[in-house]
Amino acid sequence: MLIIPAIDIKGGKCVRLRRGQMSTAKVFSDSPLEIVKSWVSQGAQLIHVIDLDGAKNGLPINDNIIKKIVRSFNEIDFQVGGGIRNIQSAASYLEAGVSKIILGTQAIKEPSLIKKLCSLYPGRIVLAVDFYKGKIKKSGWAEGTNLTPEEVIRLFSSLPLASIVITDISRDGMMNGPNILVTLELASLSSIPVIVSGGIANLDHIKKIISANSENRISGVICGRSLYEKSFSLEEAIKVTKF
């Protein structure tokens, strides 16, 4: 199981939010590139990068910064999301060396797009299933829908997706523990690997996910604020997965 550090970029800076609310943004670094360098030095294999401005505005905003990061660290993989709303923006990232792109909002608004992208780039598209109180949210988590996460996963379960990132927004950035039970229930709906996101605060939370992952449905855990606030190091988290 991979430990996946998260980098959220807003205004060119590395920030973390609470429950996706832009007003809660806390700047942890003026240089996302330096943060990536730190993660790589500690053994990261995959880094989760979100263009927060892009997610809010519906088009890539910090893409030049992200592409520079990817070019600088071609020895590891990056999965990138935020503002990818058409084939052109998707192709721009993938052809620049990004390993995988993440679609959430546009998968809901335009299911045909994610199907088309999966046919063009099989195994390189990640589906973001972001929900709050049982309902999917979109557009940088600013807009609600009547869809349930179960409905979304079933809709795309036959596609050659790389993975599904499942985020309980109520836990994101709050460091009060991941929603393991619901995540496993959602993971059981598909054979696609699932990545857990939201709420990781300590190594015990990671250990609980590993213990509950008896059927190996969970392929990775995204860690954000817990790493930035030094609740544990990336190296320590990776070691936990080795036992």
PDB file of all heavy atoms in Angstrom, residues 111-147:
ATOM      1  N   PRO A 111     -20.169  12.526 -18.301  1.00  0.00           N
ATOM      2  CA  PRO A 111     -19.642  11.159 -18.208  1.00  0.00           C
ATOM      3  C   PRO A 111     -18.956  10.683 -19.484  1.00  0.00           C
ATOM      4  O   PRO A 111     -18.012   9.886 -19.417  1.00  0.00           O
ATOM      5  CB  PRO A 111     -20.896  10.330 -17.914  1.00  0.00           C
ATOM      6  CG  PRO A 111     -21.828  11.278 -17.240  1.00  0.00           C
ATOM      7  CD  PRO A 111     -21.588  12.594 -17.913  1.00  0.00           C
ATOM      8  N   SER A 112     -19.400  11.190 -20.615  1.00  0.00           N
ATOM      9  CA  SER A 112     -18.787  10.759 -21.884  1.00  0.00           C
ATOM     10  C   SER A 112     -17.319  11.166 -21.964  1.00  0.00           C
ATOM     11  O   SER A 112     -16.521  10.502 -22.645  1.00  0.00           O
ATOM     12  CB  SER A 112     -19.547  11.344 -23.076  1.00  0.00           C
ATOM     13  OG  SER A 112     -19.505  12.768 -23.050  1.00  0.00           O
ATOM     14  N   LEU A 113     -16.935  12.242 -21.263  1.00  0.00           N
ATOM     15  CA  LEU A 113     -15.545  12.693 -21.315  1.00  0.00           C
ATOM     16  C   LEU A 113     -14.625  11.684 -20.642  1.00  0.00           C
ATOM     17  O   LEU A 113     -13.582  11.316 -21.198  1.00  0.00           O
ATOM     18  CB  LEU A 113     -15.391  14.056 -20.647  1.00  0.00           C
ATOM     19  CG  LEU A 113     -13.942  14.565 -20.552  1.00  0.00           C
ATOM     20  CD1 LEU A 113     -13.369  14.816 -21.938  1.00  0.00           C
ATOM     21  CD2 LEU A 113     -13.857  15.827 -19.706  1.00  0.00           C
ATOM     22  N   ILE A 114     -14.973  11.232 -19.449  1.00  0.00           N
ATOM     23  CA  ILE A 114     -14.101  10.288 -18.758  1.00  0.00           C
ATOM     24  C   ILE A 114     -14.042   8.961 -19.516  1.00  0.00           C
ATOM     25  O   ILE A 114     -13.001   8.296 -19.558  1.00  0.00           O
ATOM     26  CB  ILE A 114     -14.540  10.089 -17.290  1.00  0.00           C
ATOM     27  CG1 ILE A 114     -13.428   9.389 -16.502  1.00  0.00           C
ATOM     28  CG2 ILE A 114     -15.841   9.356 -17.173  1.00  0.00           C
ATOM     29  CD1 ILE A 114     -13.641   9.401 -14.998  1.00  0.00           C
ATOM     30  N   LYS A 115     -15.149   8.594 -20.160  1.00  0.00           N
ATOM     31  CA  LYS A 115     -15.142   7.370 -20.969  1.00  0.00           C
ATOM     32  C   LYS A 115     -14.211   7.523 -22.167  1.00  0.00           C
ATOM     33  O   LYS A 115     -13.451   6.606 -22.508  1.00  0.00           O
ATOM     34  CB  LYS A 115     -16.567   7.038 -21.416  1.00  0.00           C
ATOM     35  CG  LYS A 115     -17.478   6.650 -20.257  1.00  0.00           C
ATOM     36  CD  LYS A 115     -18.916   6.445 -20.707  1.00  0.00           C
ATOM     37  CE  LYS A 115     -19.804   6.103 -19.508  1.00  0.00           C
ATOM     38  NZ  LYS A 115     -21.235   5.957 -19.892  1.00  0.00           N
ATOM     39  N   LYS A 116     -14.242   8.684 -22.796  1.00  0.00           N
ATOM     40  CA  LYS A 116     -13.370   8.952 -23.931  1.00  0.00           C
ATOM     41  C   LYS A 116     -11.906   8.963 -23.495  1.00  0.00           C
ATOM     42  O   LYS A 116     -11.038   8.375 -24.162  1.00  0.00           O
ATOM     43  CB  LYS A 116     -13.744  10.298 -24.557  1.00  0.00           C
ATOM     44  CG  LYS A 116     -12.847  10.749 -25.705  1.00  0.00           C
ATOM     45  CD  LYS A 116     -12.995   9.867 -26.929  1.00  0.00           C
ATOM     46  CE  LYS A 116     -12.227  10.435 -28.117  1.00  0.00           C
ATOM     47  NZ  LYS A 116     -12.280   9.531 -29.295  1.00  0.00           N
ATOM     48  N   LEU A 117     -11.622   9.613 -22.381  1.00  0.00           N
ATOM     49  CA  LEU A 117     -10.250   9.683 -21.890  1.00  0.00           C
ATOM     50  C   LEU A 117      -9.722   8.298 -21.504  1.00  0.00           C
ATOM     51  O   LEU A 117      -8.552   7.991 -21.721  1.00  0.00           O
ATOM     52  CB  LEU A 117     -10.154  10.633 -20.702  1.00  0.00           C
ATOM     53  CG  LEU A 117     -10.220  12.124 -21.054  1.00  0.00           C
ATOM     54  CD1 LEU A 117     -10.377  12.969 -19.797  1.00  0.00           C
ATOM     55  CD2 LEU A 117      -8.980  12.549 -21.831  1.00  0.00           C
ATOM     56  N   CYS A 118     -10.589   7.472 -20.930  1.00  0.00           N
ATOM     57  CA  CYS A 118     -10.165   6.111 -20.575  1.00  0.00           C
ATOM     58  C   CYS A 118      -9.840   5.289 -21.817  1.00  0.00           C
ATOM     59  O   CYS A 118      -8.964   4.423 -21.773  1.00  0.00           O
ATOM     60  CB  CYS A 118     -11.245   5.419 -19.756  1.00  0.00           C
ATOM     61  SG  CYS A 118     -11.254   5.894 -18.013  1.00  0.00           S
ATOM     62  N   SER A 119     -10.534   5.568 -22.913  1.00  0.00           N
ATOM     63  CA  SER A 119     -10.226   4.847 -24.148  1.00  0.00           C
ATOM     64  C   SER A 119      -8.925   5.346 -24.761  1.00  0.00           C
ATOM     65  O   SER A 119      -8.166   4.573 -25.357  1.00  0.00           O
ATOM     66  CB  SER A 119     -11.372   4.991 -25.154  1.00  0.00           C
ATOM     67  OG  SER A 119     -11.473   6.320 -25.648  1.00  0.00           O
ATOM     68  N   LEU A 120      -8.644   6.635 -24.602  1.00  0.00           N
ATOM     69  CA  LEU A 120      -7.406   7.207 -25.134  1.00  0.00           C
ATOM     70  C   LEU A 120      -6.204   6.914 -24.241  1.00  0.00           C
ATOM     71  O   LEU A 120      -5.089   6.695 -24.729  1.00  0.00           O
ATOM     72  CB  LEU A 120      -7.559   8.732 -25.283  1.00  0.00           C
ATOM     73  CG  LEU A 120      -8.524   9.238 -26.353  1.00  0.00           C
ATOM     74  CD1 LEU A 120      -8.709  10.748 -26.219  1.00  0.00           C
ATOM     75  CD2 LEU A 120      -8.006   8.888 -27.744  1.00  0.00           C
ATOM     76  N   TYR A 121      -6.445   6.930 -22.922  1.00  0.00           N
ATOM     77  CA  TYR A 121      -5.349   6.770 -21.948  1.00  0.00           C
ATOM     78  C   TYR A 121      -5.738   5.737 -20.885  1.00  0.00           C
ATOM     79  O   TYR A 121      -5.892   6.065 -19.708  1.00  0.00           O
ATOM     80  CB  TYR A 121      -5.038   8.107 -21.273  1.00  0.00           C
ATOM     81  CG  TYR A 121      -4.717   9.235 -22.215  1.00  0.00           C
ATOM     82  CD1 TYR A 121      -5.683  10.202 -22.529  1.00  0.00           C
ATOM     83  CD2 TYR A 121      -3.448   9.366 -22.784  1.00  0.00           C
ATOM     84  CE1 TYR A 121      -5.383  11.253 -23.390  1.00  0.00           C
ATOM     85  CE2 TYR A 121      -3.147  10.408 -23.640  1.00  0.00           C
ATOM     86  CZ  TYR A 121      -4.116  11.345 -23.943  1.00  0.00           C
ATOM     87  OH  TYR A 121      -3.821  12.388 -24.795  1.00  0.00           O
ATOM     88  N   PRO A 122      -5.905   4.479 -21.265  1.00  0.00           N
ATOM     89  CA  PRO A 122      -6.295   3.466 -20.275  1.00  0.00           C
ATOM     90  C   PRO A 122      -5.258   3.348 -19.163  1.00  0.00           C
ATOM     91  O   PRO A 122      -4.049   3.380 -19.409  1.00  0.00           O
ATOM     92  CB  PRO A 122      -6.372   2.180 -21.107  1.00  0.00           C
ATOM     93  CG  PRO A 122      -5.555   2.448 -22.335  1.00  0.00           C
ATOM     94  CD  PRO A 122      -5.693   3.907 -22.612  1.00  0.00           C
ATOM     95  N   GLY A 123      -5.759   3.249 -17.938  1.00  0.00           N
ATOM     96  CA  GLY A 123      -4.874   3.107 -16.795  1.00  0.00           C
ATOM     97  C   GLY A 123      -4.206   4.386 -16.341  1.00  0.00           C
ATOM     98  O   GLY A 123      -3.347   4.358 -15.456  1.00  0.00           O
ATOM     99  N   ARG A 124      -4.635   5.508 -16.907  1.00  0.00           N
ATOM    100  CA  ARG A 124      -4.012   6.783 -16.529  1.00  0.00           C
ATOM    101  C   ARG A 124      -5.035   7.806 -16.037  1.00  0.00           C
ATOM    102  O   ARG A 124      -4.690   8.962 -15.796  1.00  0.00           O
ATOM    103  CB  ARG A 124      -3.219   7.361 -17.710  1.00  0.00           C
ATOM    104  CG  ARG A 124      -2.065   6.460 -18.154  1.00  0.00           C
ATOM    105  CD  ARG A 124      -1.252   7.100 -19.254  1.00  0.00           C
ATOM    106  NE  ARG A 124      -0.492   8.248 -18.754  1.00  0.00           N
ATOM    107  CZ  ARG A 124       0.216   9.069 -19.556  1.00  0.00           C
ATOM    108  NH1 ARG A 124       0.221   8.870 -20.865  1.00  0.00           N
ATOM    109  NH2 ARG A 124       0.877  10.076 -19.020  1.00  0.00           N
ATOM    110  N   ILE A 125      -6.276   7.371 -15.869  1.00  0.00           N
ATOM    111  CA  ILE A 125      -7.333   8.267 -15.396  1.00  0.00           C
ATOM    112  C   ILE A 125      -7.776   7.830 -14.007  1.00  0.00           C
ATOM    113  O   ILE A 125      -8.075   6.655 -13.765  1.00  0.00           O
ATOM    114  CB  ILE A 125      -8.544   8.260 -16.348  1.00  0.00           C
ATOM    115  CG1 ILE A 125      -8.105   8.477 -17.808  1.00  0.00           C
ATOM    116  CG2 ILE A 125      -9.554   9.317 -15.903  1.00  0.00           C
ATOM    117  CD1 ILE A 125      -7.365   9.773 -18.065  1.00  0.00           C
ATOM    118  N   VAL A 126      -7.809   8.795 -13.086  1.00  0.00           N
ATOM    119  CA  VAL A 126      -8.242   8.549 -11.709  1.00  0.00           C
ATOM    120  C   VAL A 126      -9.597   9.230 -11.500  1.00  0.00           C
ATOM    121  O   VAL A 126      -9.771  10.395 -11.864  1.00  0.00           O
ATOM    122  CB  VAL A 126      -7.213   9.110 -10.707  1.00  0.00           C
ATOM    123  CG1 VAL A 126      -7.719   8.959  -9.273  1.00  0.00           C
ATOM    124  CG2 VAL A 126      -5.863   8.423 -10.878  1.00  0.00           C
ATOM    125  N   LEU A 127     -10.536   8.505 -10.934  1.00  0.00           N
ATOM    126  CA  LEU A 127     -11.849   9.066 -10.619  1.00  0.00           C
ATOM    127  C   LEU A 127     -11.857   9.560  -9.180  1.00  0.00           C
ATOM    128  O   LEU A 127     -11.514   8.820  -8.259  1.00  0.00           O
ATOM    129  CB  LEU A 127     -12.933   8.003 -10.810  1.00  0.00           C
ATOM    130  CG  LEU A 127     -14.353   8.392 -10.375  1.00  0.00           C
ATOM    131  CD1 LEU A 127     -14.898   9.512 -11.260  1.00  0.00           C
ATOM    132  CD2 LEU A 127     -15.277   7.174 -10.407  1.00  0.00           C
ATOM    133  N   ALA A 128     -12.235  10.826  -8.989  1.00  0.00           N
ATOM    134  CA  ALA A 128     -12.361  11.389  -7.637  1.00  0.00           C
ATOM    135  C   ALA A 128     -13.811  11.290  -7.195  1.00  0.00           C
ATOM    136  O   ALA A 128     -14.713  11.825  -7.845  1.00  0.00           O
ATOM    137  CB  ALA A 128     -11.908  12.845  -7.630  1.00  0.00           C
ATOM    138  N   VAL A 129     -14.028  10.581  -6.101  1.00  0.00           N
ATOM    139  CA  VAL A 129     -15.360  10.457  -5.521  1.00  0.00           C
ATOM    140  C   VAL A 129     -15.332  11.232  -4.198  1.00  0.00           C
ATOM    141  O   VAL A 129     -14.865  10.742  -3.170  1.00  0.00           O
ATOM    142  CB  VAL A 129     -15.732   8.979  -5.293  1.00  0.00           C
ATOM    143  CG1 VAL A 129     -17.074   8.864  -4.585  1.00  0.00           C
ATOM    144  CG2 VAL A 129     -15.770   8.240  -6.631  1.00  0.00           C
ATOM    145  N   ASP A 130     -15.809  12.465  -4.260  1.00  0.00           N
ATOM    146  CA  ASP A 130     -15.756  13.390  -3.123  1.00  0.00           C
ATOM    147  C   ASP A 130     -17.175  13.579  -2.589  1.00  0.00           C
ATOM    148  O   ASP A 130     -18.046  14.055  -3.324  1.00  0.00           O
ATOM    149  CB  ASP A 130     -15.192  14.745  -3.558  1.00  0.00           C
ATOM    150  CG  ASP A 130     -13.850  14.612  -4.282  1.00  0.00           C
ATOM    151  OD1 ASP A 130     -13.045  13.767  -3.868  1.00  0.00           O
ATOM    152  OD2 ASP A 130     -13.636  15.362  -5.260  1.00  0.00           O
ATOM    153  N   PHE A 131     -17.386  13.232  -1.345  1.00  0.00           N
ATOM    154  CA  PHE A 131     -18.757  13.315  -0.831  1.00  0.00           C
ATOM    155  C   PHE A 131     -18.814  13.942   0.557  1.00  0.00           C
ATOM    156  O   PHE A 131     -17.840  13.907   1.322  1.00  0.00           O
ATOM    157  CB  PHE A 131     -19.407  11.930  -0.805  1.00  0.00           C
ATOM    158  CG  PHE A 131     -18.758  10.964   0.163  1.00  0.00           C
ATOM    159  CD1 PHE A 131     -19.246  10.816   1.459  1.00  0.00           C
ATOM    160  CD2 PHE A 131     -17.674  10.202  -0.220  1.00  0.00           C
ATOM    161  CE1 PHE A 131     -18.651   9.939   2.357  1.00  0.00           C
ATOM    162  CE2 PHE A 131     -17.077   9.307   0.665  1.00  0.00           C
ATOM    163  CZ  PHE A 131     -17.561   9.179   1.961  1.00  0.00           C
ATOM    164  N   TYR A 132     -19.970  14.525   0.830  1.00  0.00           N
ATOM    165  CA  TYR A 132     -20.230  15.141   2.138  1.00  0.00           C
ATOM    166  C   TYR A 132     -21.630  14.739   2.571  1.00  0.00           C
ATOM    167  O   TYR A 132     -22.605  14.975   1.842  1.00  0.00           O
ATOM    168  CB  TYR A 132     -20.115  16.662   2.043  1.00  0.00           C
ATOM    169  CG  TYR A 132     -20.268  17.379   3.365  1.00  0.00           C
ATOM    170  CD1 TYR A 132     -19.240  17.376   4.308  1.00  0.00           C
ATOM    171  CD2 TYR A 132     -21.445  18.054   3.679  1.00  0.00           C
ATOM    172  CE1 TYR A 132     -19.377  18.026   5.525  1.00  0.00           C
ATOM    173  CE2 TYR A 132     -21.595  18.703   4.897  1.00  0.00           C
ATOM    174  CZ  TYR A 132     -20.561  18.690   5.818  1.00  0.00           C
ATOM    175  OH  TYR A 132     -20.694  19.322   7.028  1.00  0.00           O
ATOM    176  N   LYS A 133     -21.714  14.083   3.714  1.00  0.00           N
ATOM    177  CA  LYS A 133     -22.997  13.596   4.240  1.00  0.00           C
ATOM    178  C   LYS A 133     -23.742  12.766   3.194  1.00  0.00           C
ATOM    179  O   LYS A 133     -24.945  12.917   2.985  1.00  0.00           O
ATOM    180  CB  LYS A 133     -23.856  14.760   4.731  1.00  0.00           C
ATOM    181  CG  LYS A 133     -23.260  15.486   5.928  1.00  0.00           C
ATOM    182  CD  LYS A 133     -24.170  16.579   6.460  1.00  0.00           C
ATOM    183  CE  LYS A 133     -23.559  17.241   7.708  1.00  0.00           C
ATOM    184  NZ  LYS A 133     -24.415  18.331   8.230  1.00  0.00           N
ATOM    185  N   GLY A 134     -22.983  11.896   2.524  1.00  0.00           N
ATOM    186  CA  GLY A 134     -23.589  10.931   1.617  1.00  0.00           C
ATOM    187  C   GLY A 134     -23.911  11.428   0.225  1.00  0.00           C
ATOM    188  O   GLY A 134     -24.468  10.679  -0.587  1.00  0.00           O
ATOM    189  N   LYS A 135     -23.560  12.680  -0.086  1.00  0.00           N
ATOM    190  CA  LYS A 135     -23.843  13.222  -1.417  1.00  0.00           C
ATOM    191  C   LYS A 135     -22.550  13.759  -2.055  1.00  0.00           C
ATOM    192  O   LYS A 135     -21.723  14.388  -1.393  1.00  0.00           O
ATOM    193  CB  LYS A 135     -24.867  14.362  -1.338  1.00  0.00           C
ATOM    194  CG  LYS A 135     -26.244  13.909  -0.834  1.00  0.00           C
ATOM    195  CD  LYS A 135     -26.932  12.960  -1.802  1.00  0.00           C
ATOM    196  CE  LYS A 135     -28.345  12.613  -1.313  1.00  0.00           C
ATOM    197  NZ  LYS A 135     -29.042  11.680  -2.222  1.00  0.00           N
ATOM    198  N   ILE A 136     -22.434  13.516  -3.342  1.00  0.00           N
ATOM    199  CA  ILE A 136     -21.270  13.961  -4.099  1.00  0.00           C
ATOM    200  C   ILE A 136     -21.240  15.489  -4.194  1.00  0.00           C
ATOM    201  O   ILE A 136     -22.279  16.132  -4.389  1.00  0.00           O
ATOM    202  CB  ILE A 136     -21.310  13.369  -5.536  1.00  0.00           C
ATOM    203  CG1 ILE A 136     -21.116  11.848  -5.492  1.00  0.00           C
ATOM    204  CG2 ILE A 136     -20.265  14.022  -6.435  1.00  0.00           C
ATOM    205  CD1 ILE A 136     -19.738  11.380  -5.119  1.00  0.00           C
ATOM    206  N   LYS A 137     -20.040  16.050  -4.062  1.00  0.00           N
ATOM    207  CA  LYS A 137     -19.861  17.482  -4.288  1.00  0.00           C
ATOM    208  C   LYS A 137     -18.895  17.670  -5.456  1.00  0.00           C
ATOM    209  O   LYS A 137     -18.051  16.815  -5.725  1.00  0.00           O
ATOM    210  CB  LYS A 137     -19.335  18.171  -3.030  1.00  0.00           C
ATOM    211  CG  LYS A 137     -20.292  18.047  -1.840  1.00  0.00           C
ATOM    212  CD  LYS A 137     -20.021  19.077  -0.761  1.00  0.00           C
ATOM    213  CE  LYS A 137     -20.620  20.420  -1.114  1.00  0.00           C
ATOM    214  NZ  LYS A 137     -20.559  21.400   0.002  1.00  0.00           N
ATOM    215  N   LYS A 138     -19.017  18.813  -6.131  1.00  0.00           N
ATOM    216  CA  LYS A 138     -18.205  19.071  -7.319  1.00  0.00           C
ATOM    217  C   LYS A 138     -17.723  20.518  -7.316  1.00  0.00           C
ATOM    218  O   LYS A 138     -17.987  21.275  -6.388  1.00  0.00           O
ATOM    219  CB  LYS A 138     -19.016  18.789  -8.590  1.00  0.00           C
ATOM    220  CG  LYS A 138     -20.259  19.666  -8.734  1.00  0.00           C
ATOM    221  CD  LYS A 138     -21.078  19.301  -9.958  1.00  0.00           C
ATOM    222  CE  LYS A 138     -22.296  20.222 -10.076  1.00  0.00           C
ATOM    223  NZ  LYS A 138     -23.105  19.925 -11.266  1.00  0.00           N
ATOM    224  N   SER A 139     -16.990  20.881  -8.392  1.00  0.00           N
ATOM    225  CA  SER A 139     -16.478  22.245  -8.574  1.00  0.00           C
ATOM    226  C   SER A 139     -15.680  22.722  -7.369  1.00  0.00           C
ATOM    227  O   SER A 139     -15.973  23.738  -6.750  1.00  0.00           O
ATOM    228  CB  SER A 139     -17.629  23.219  -8.882  1.00  0.00           C
ATOM    229  OG  SER A 139     -18.312  22.827 -10.052  1.00  0.00           O
ATOM    230  N   GLY A 140     -14.619  21.952  -7.063  1.00  0.00           N
ATOM    231  CA  GLY A 140     -13.806  22.295  -5.906  1.00  0.00           C
ATOM    232  C   GLY A 140     -14.564  22.151  -4.601  1.00  0.00           C
ATOM    233  O   GLY A 140     -14.273  22.852  -3.633  1.00  0.00           O
ATOM    234  N   TRP A 141     -15.547  21.220  -4.593  1.00  0.00           N
ATOM    235  CA  TRP A 141     -16.367  20.918  -3.421  1.00  0.00           C
ATOM    236  C   TRP A 141     -17.291  22.070  -3.053  1.00  0.00           C
ATOM    237  O   TRP A 141     -17.856  22.108  -1.960  1.00  0.00           O
ATOM    238  CB  TRP A 141     -15.505  20.542  -2.217  1.00  0.00           C
ATOM    239  CG  TRP A 141     -14.630  19.356  -2.419  1.00  0.00           C
ATOM    240  CD1 TRP A 141     -14.615  18.515  -3.489  1.00  0.00           C
ATOM    241  CD2 TRP A 141     -13.631  18.860  -1.530  1.00  0.00           C
ATOM    242  NE1 TRP A 141     -13.673  17.532  -3.328  1.00  0.00           N
ATOM    243  CE2 TRP A 141     -13.046  17.721  -2.128  1.00  0.00           C
ATOM    244  CE3 TRP A 141     -13.166  19.270  -0.287  1.00  0.00           C
ATOM    245  CZ2 TRP A 141     -12.021  16.988  -1.519  1.00  0.00           C
ATOM    246  CZ3 TRP A 141     -12.148  18.541   0.319  1.00  0.00           C
ATOM    247  CH2 TRP A 141     -11.588  17.412  -0.289  1.00  0.00           C
ATOM    248  N   ALA A 142     -17.466  23.011  -3.971  1.00  0.00           N
ATOM    249  CA  ALA A 142     -18.303  24.177  -3.675  1.00  0.00           C
ATOM    250  C   ALA A 142     -19.764  23.955  -4.047  1.00  0.00           C
ATOM    251  O   ALA A 142     -20.642  24.683  -3.574  1.00  0.00           O
ATOM    252  CB  ALA A 142     -17.776  25.405  -4.423  1.00  0.00           C
ATOM    253  N   GLU A 143     -20.044  22.950  -4.888  1.00  0.00           N
ATOM    254  CA  GLU A 143     -21.413  22.716  -5.357  1.00  0.00           C
ATOM    255  C   GLU A 143     -21.873  21.320  -4.965  1.00  0.00           C
ATOM    256  O   GLU A 143     -21.131  20.344  -5.101  1.00  0.00           O
ATOM    257  CB  GLU A 143     -21.489  22.857  -6.883  1.00  0.00           C
ATOM    258  CG  GLU A 143     -21.178  24.243  -7.414  1.00  0.00           C
ATOM    259  CD  GLU A 143     -21.267  24.297  -8.929  1.00  0.00           C
ATOM    260  OE1 GLU A 143     -21.950  23.441  -9.527  1.00  0.00           O
ATOM    261  OE2 GLU A 143     -20.635  25.194  -9.518  1.00  0.00           O
ATOM    262  N   GLY A 144     -23.106  21.236  -4.495  1.00  0.00           N
ATOM    263  CA  GLY A 144     -23.675  19.950  -4.131  1.00  0.00           C
ATOM    264  C   GLY A 144     -24.352  19.268  -5.306  1.00  0.00           C
ATOM    265  O   GLY A 144     -24.607  19.888  -6.348  1.00  0.00           O
ATOM    266  N   THR A 145     -24.631  17.990  -5.164  1.00  0.00           N
ATOM    267  CA  THR A 145     -25.397  17.229  -6.151  1.00  0.00           C
ATOM    268  C   THR A 145     -26.340  16.298  -5.391  1.00  0.00           C
ATOM    269  O   THR A 145     -26.249  16.164  -4.166  1.00  0.00           O
ATOM    270  CB  THR A 145     -24.492  16.371  -7.067  1.00  0.00           C
ATOM    271  OG1 THR A 145     -24.048  15.218  -6.322  1.00  0.00           O
ATOM    272  CG2 THR A 145     -23.286  17.151  -7.566  1.00  0.00           C
ATOM    273  N   ASN A 146     -27.204  15.637  -6.126  1.00  0.00           N
ATOM    274  CA  ASN A 146     -28.086  14.644  -5.515  1.00  0.00           C
ATOM    275  C   ASN A 146     -27.551  13.232  -5.689  1.00  0.00           C
ATOM    276  O   ASN A 146     -28.201  12.259  -5.297  1.00  0.00           O
ATOM    277  CB  ASN A 146     -29.490  14.743  -6.119  1.00  0.00           C
ATOM    278  CG  ASN A 146     -30.217  16.005  -5.674  1.00  0.00           C
ATOM    279  OD1 ASN A 146     -30.132  16.389  -4.508  1.00  0.00           O
ATOM    280  ND2 ASN A 146     -30.916  16.648  -6.599  1.00  0.00           N
ATOM    281  N   LEU A 147     -26.365  13.119  -6.276  1.00  0.00           N
ATOM    282  CA  LEU A 147     -25.773  11.808  -6.522  1.00  0.00           C
ATOM    283  C   LEU A 147     -25.120  11.257  -5.258  1.00  0.00           C
ATOM    284  O   LEU A 147     -24.549  12.003  -4.459  1.00  0.00           O
ATOM    285  CB  LEU A 147     -24.715  11.905  -7.624  1.00  0.00           C
ATOM    286  CG  LEU A 147     -25.206  12.147  -9.045  1.00  0.00           C
ATOM    287  CD1 LEU A 147     -24.027  12.493  -9.943  1.00  0.00           C
ATOM    288  CD2 LEU A 147     -25.936  10.920  -9.572  1.00  0.00           C
TER     289      LEU A 147
END
